[in-house]
Amino acid sequence: MRRLLLFCVIMLALMLVGVSCEKEVPKDIAAQTAREYYSNLYSGKYEAFVSGMYFPDSIPDSYRRQLVDNMKMFVAEQKDKHHGVYDVRIARYKNDSVAHATDVFLILCYGDSVNEEIVVRMIEHDGKWLMK
């Protein structure tokens, strides 16, 4: 009986060592990157925000300019409604190892003391985290 118990303990220890040696994806990098993209958006760096979007193919320059213009209008609207966003915080993130993606939950802190939680789907493409 003791041998069986000892065998089970050793097998459990080996399984735990095997699990801990698996390559772990640094999930918080996706969260930090999402926060950085949204901080760029609300600080007026619209090109940097649009550059953080995932597109399976290249997009025409005219479409990119439209996206930048839309972001400018969106931020202006937020300034009118809520006195802008003064902080972007990471609430939590959830890794999806099958899809090689991370759902990042950000809290947008508005100037009128309203907080809003949004979800940003981040995918890793060519070693870079991008917003889907």
Side-chain angles (χ1 to χ4, degrees), residues 27-129:
K27 297 170 261 193
D28 64 330
I29 292 175
Q32 293 294 335
T33 304
R35 181 182 179 277
E36 182 180 327
Y37 288 144
Y38 271 83
S39 294
N40 284 338
L41 174 65
Y42 291 111
S43 65
K45 299 175 185 172
Y46 309 110
E47 288 282 343
F49 180 80
V50 171
S51 294
M53 294 178 171
Y54 171 75
F55 298 103
D57 296 319
S58 62
I59 60 172
D61 288 337
S62 60
Y63 183 57
R64 182 174 295 280
R65 283 192 303 274
Q66 287 177 5
L67 288 172
V68 169
D69 290 343
N70 284 341
M71 293 301 112
K72 287 178 184 177
M73 287 188 290
F74 173 74
V75 170
E77 184 179 296
Q78 296 303 309
K79 284 181 182 177
D80 287 343
K81 285 184 176 180
H82 299 289
H83 307 292
V85 172
Y86 70 88
D87 195 16
V88 179
R89 299 180 186 155
I90 300 169
R92 63 189 182 282
Y93 51 87
K94 184 178 177 187
N95 188 34
D96 183 351
S97 59
V98 174
H100 300 288
T102 300
D103 291 326
V104 180
F105 297 82
L106 297 175
I107 297 176
L108 305 178
C109 303
Y110 291 98
D112 61 357
S113 74
V114 171
N115 292 335
E116 179 181 10
E117 185 175 67
I118 63 169
V119 180
V120 181
R121 180 88 165 167
M122 300 292 289
I123 62 164
E124 190 175 15
H125 180 70
D126 293 335
K128 185 177 179 183
W129 286 99

